[in-house]
C-alpha cells in the first residue's frame, strides 16, 4: 500500500496483506522493518512517512483483514499510528477508527493523519515533540458533512505547509491554519497523491487510473 523513500533512496513499503512494513534494499532483497507491536501482529499497515530524526511513522487500520475489526486474525484491540526508530515500534495514537494517510509539516513539528470513517471524515493534526512523541490531537479538516464521493485517504504536504488531502469531492488543499482553500476534482474518486517532476506537479491515484495536474 503506502510507499516512501528514506534518506538514502531506499523504498519502504507497507505490505497490506502480509501485515508488515518492509524495506527494499539496493541488492533487491527485502528487510522486515516492523510486523508486530507488543508481541501482536500488526493489522494491515497502510500509509507511512519519515518524520523527525528520520524515524518512520505509519498507520495501521484493519482494511487488509477480511472481517476488519471483527476478523479472528486481528490481534490488536485498536487501530494505531506508530513510530519506528532504533529497532522499536511505539504506538502514538490509539483512538482513531481508521487511521490512513499520514504526513508532516515542513518543520516536522506537526503530524497529519486522515481518518477513513463515514461518520468522522476528518484529518487530524498532532504536535510532535523533540523525542518524536505526539500530543494535542485536534481536528485539522472536517469533511463529515460533505456528501460528495470520496473519503479521507492519502495526503501530502507541500514546501509551504499546505496539506493536499484526498477527501469528499477530490483533493482538498488546506492552508497550515486549517482553511480549506479549494478542491482539485479528479475524474474519479481520488485515493492518494504525491509530488513529481520539479515539485509543482501533483500526481493523483484514483479508482482505476493515475492523473497529474500542474500547479502554480
Amino acid at each position: 500500500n503506502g510507499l516512501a523513500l528514506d534518506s538514502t533512496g531506499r523504498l519502504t513499503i507497507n505490505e497490506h496483506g502480509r501485515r508488515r512494513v518492509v524495506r527494499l534494499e539496493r541488492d533487491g532483497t527485502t528487510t522486515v522493518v516492523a510486523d508486530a507491536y507488543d508481541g501482536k501482529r500488526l493489522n494491515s499497515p497502510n500509509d507511512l512517512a519519515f518524520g523527525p530524526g528520520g524515524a518512520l511513522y505509519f498507520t495501521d487500520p484493519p482494511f487488509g483483514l477480511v472481517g476488519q475489526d471483527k476478523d479472528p486474525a486481528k490481534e490488536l484491540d485498536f487501530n494505531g499510528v506508530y513510530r519506528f526508530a532504533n529497532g522499536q515500534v511505539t504506538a502514538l495514537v490509539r483512538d482513531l477508527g481508521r487511521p490512513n494517510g499520514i504526513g508532516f509539516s515542513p518543520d516536522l513539528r506537526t503530524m497529519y493523519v486522515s481518518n477513513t470513517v463515514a461518520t468522522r471524515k476528518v484529518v487530524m493534526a498532532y504536535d510532535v515533540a523533540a523525542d518524536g512523541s505526539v500530543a494535542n490531537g485536534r481536528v485539522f479538516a472536517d469533511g463529515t458533512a460533505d456528501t460528495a464521493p470520496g473519503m479521507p485517504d492519502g495526503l501530502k504536504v507541500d514546501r509551504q505547509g499546505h496539506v493536499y488531502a484526498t477527501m469528499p469531492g477530490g483533493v482538498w488543499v488546506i492552508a497550515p491554519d486549517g482553511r480549506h482553500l479549494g478542491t482539485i476534482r479528479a475524474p474519479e474518486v481520488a485515493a492518494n497523491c504525491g509530488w513529481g517532476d520539479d515539485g509543482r506537479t501533483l500526481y493523483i491515484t484514483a479508482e482505476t487510473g493515475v492523473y497529474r495536474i500542474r500547479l502554480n
Side-chain angles (χ1 to χ4, degrees):
N1 204 318
L3 307 168
L5 295 170
D6 68 12
S7 60
T8 67
R10 296 175 300 180
L11 186 64
T12 307
I13 306 164
N14 278 352
E15 292 190 334
H16 212 52
R18 291 179 177 175
R19 303 171 68 177
R20 64 186 191 176
V21 183
V22 302
R23 184 176 61 240
L24 183 63
E25 306 294 352
R26 296 189 182 281
D27 62 2
T29 61
T30 57
T31 299
V32 176
V33 175
D35 59 4
Y37 170 71
D38 197 23
K40 299 178 181 179
R41 289 190 71 189
L42 297 173
N43 300 322
S44 52
N46 188 289
D47 202 9
L48 69 169
F50 287 94
L56 178 67
Y57 292 69
F58 65 93
T59 60
D60 188 42
F63 293 132
L65 301 173
V66 176
Q68 296 202 23
D69 283 332
K70 297 180 180 180
D71 197 296
K74 190 176 192 293
E75 298 181 16
L76 292 163
D77 60 2
F78 65 95
N79 303 312
V81 180
Y82 296 90
R83 178 179 183 264
F84 175 81
N86 302 318
Q88 300 226 342
V89 178
T90 303
L92 301 177
V93 180
R94 300 170 180 250
D95 60 354
L96 292 180
R98 297 290 186 274
N100 197 323
I102 186 170
F104 289 88
S105 61
D107 63 7
L108 302 179
R109 293 181 179 178
T110 305
M111 180 180 77
Y112 301 102
V113 178
S114 60
N115 184 54
T116 312
V117 176
T119 56
R120 196 182 182 213
K121 296 182 279 191
V122 298
V123 175
M124 299 292 292
Y126 301 85
D127 296 333
V128 184
D131 64 357
S133 62
V134 302
N136 189 30
R138 59 211 181 266
V139 174
F140 177 70
D142 193 342
T144 306
D146 196 322
T147 59
M151 294 279 283
D153 201 329
L155 62 83
K156 295 294 183 293
V157 185
D158 72 12
R159 294 167 182 161
Q160 296 177 329
H162 301 97
V163 177
Y164 291 68
T166 55
M167 292 284 279
V171 179
W172 286 22
V173 184
I174 310 162
D177 62 5
R179 288 176 296 129
H180 180 188
L181 302 178
T183 300
I184 300 170
R185 302 191 182 278
E188 52 184 334
V189 174
N192 206 343
C193 56
W195 299 109
D197 305 334
D198 62 355
R200 291 187 177 181
T201 300
L202 190 71
Y203 286 78
I204 301 170
T205 58
E207 291 176 306
T208 67
V210 180
Y211 302 88
R212 69 181 177 188
I213 182 170
R214 178 72 175 176
L215 302 175
N216 292 328

